[in-house]
Amino acid sequence: MKTFFLRCDDVTKPDRAFLRAFAPLKAAGLPLSCAVIPAQAGAALASFFRAENAAGARLEALQHGFRHAEHAGNKYLKHEFGPSRAYGLQRADIAAGKKLMEKLFGGLSQPVFVPPFHVYNSDTLKALAALGFKGLSASRRLKRLPRGLAFLGTGVTVNEYDLGLKPRPLSPNLLRSRTLAAIKEGKKPAGIYFHHADLKGGDFKVFSDYVSFLKDLERRGLARFVLSSELLKKRGR
């Protein structure tokens, strides 16, 4: 059985796009790990998280950078944390974001860092370890991670973009094939991540159907879905 976690990126408020993406997941009883941008989130999102968890939803907040700022100056090499930023700057931003997350979400904020644009370097890892983070979720892994920091890789991407970085319509067949390919890769946990803000028009119907497909995989015993924090607990972190 393949273990998956579902991750929604760039979450800042419970707006219409987020609620439309969250609705089928909630109806299916699937957990959702939200990569929240600390400096752009506020009380409305925190209240939403608390209310949904009180009602039985499995919803948690991960730290998605600090401001989701772009420092590279190249749209194809974007990064908030990476080679253009010294260790001290990275640590200061991560610490500020962590403080905001804890203030807003309390125990619903998990010690998992999601680097914007999937870019980070060894200084990012050093800062995360120093600040007590237990997990890093991204699409690629550096060869060496600090002791005590788990890598939560994303094996399936939902959104597609053209060469101009504009979102393409979702493809039902591509989503299914990517998910089945991840299952065939073995039992190592994998993330399925998406950007709710880039879902447009008919994408929501495709996404809802995809959630039904995931639920069917669960019923058939081919997949199980957990929060990212549950993977940390399994590893004893």
Side-chain angles (χ1 to χ4, degrees):
M1 181 185 295
K2 183 76 170 184
T3 298
F4 290 101
F5 65 94
L6 290 152
R7 199 187 81 200
C8 180
D9 286 5
D10 298 350
V11 179
T12 59
K13 55 187 175 182
D15 57 13
R16 185 169 183 266
F18 176 78
L19 294 177
R20 289 185 71 183
F22 176 62
L25 293 167
K26 179 181 178 180
L30 295 180
L32 181 62
S33 300
C34 293
V36 175
I37 303 173
Q40 296 183 34
L45 184 65
S47 296
F48 176 82
F49 270 56
R50 286 192 292 271
E52 288 296 328
N53 273 275
R58 294 160 67 196
L59 190 65
E60 67 179 2
L62 315 180
Q63 184 177 334
H64 195 25
F66 177 37
R67 299 183 185 279
H68 209 294
E70 199 290 295
H71 295 287
N74 185 317
K75 71 176 182 179
Y76 297 108
L77 299 172
K78 291 180 179 181
H79 66 256
E80 182 175 26
F81 298 89
S84 72
R85 308 201 71 211
Y87 169 75
L89 295 174
Q90 293 198 43
R91 176 167 174 159
D93 276 0
I94 294 170
K98 186 172 187 282
K99 185 176 181 179
L100 284 173
M101 293 291 290
E102 291 171 347
K103 180 180 179 180
L104 283 170
F105 301 100
L108 296 178
S109 176
Q110 300 299 327
V112 176
F113 188 78
V114 181
F117 317 111
H118 290 263
V119 178
Y120 62 99
N121 64 4
S122 58
D123 282 334
T124 317
L125 298 177
K126 181 180 176 182
L128 293 175
L131 292 168
F133 281 82
K134 302 300 181 183
L136 169 78
S137 183
S139 60
R140 65 182 183 90
R141 173 178 180 160
L142 295 186
K143 289 184 178 180
R144 294 185 179 181
L145 265 66
R147 184 180 180 85
L149 187 68
F151 181 73
L152 307 178
T154 51
V156 180
T157 177
V158 171
N159 305 89
E160 283 292 317
Y161 301 88
D162 63 21
L163 292 177
L165 302 183
K166 293 182 179 180
R168 298 178 183 270
L170 296 190
S171 167
N173 291 335
L174 187 57
L175 290 175
R176 291 186 177 91
S177 64
R178 282 178 172 168
T179 307
L180 293 174
I183 290 175
K184 291 179 181 178
E185 288 176 355
K187 295 184 178 180
K188 187 176 180 180
I192 299 173
Y193 76 101
F194 63 96
H195 291 79
H196 65 285
D198 290 337
L199 300 178
K200 310 294 182 183
D203 289 338
F204 289 101
K205 174 63 166 59
V206 176
F207 184 75
S208 182
D209 290 344
Y210 177 56
V211 171
S212 296
F213 168 75
L214 296 179
K215 190 65 179 179
D216 185 58
L217 291 177
E218 183 182 64
R219 292 192 191 99
R220 293 162 59 193
L222 295 173
R224 74 183 188 104
F225 298 89
V226 301
L227 293 168
S228 61
S229 58
E230 294 177 72
L231 295 175
L232 297 181
K233 291 176 182 177
K234 185 177 180 181
R235 298 182 186 198
R237 292 180 169 83

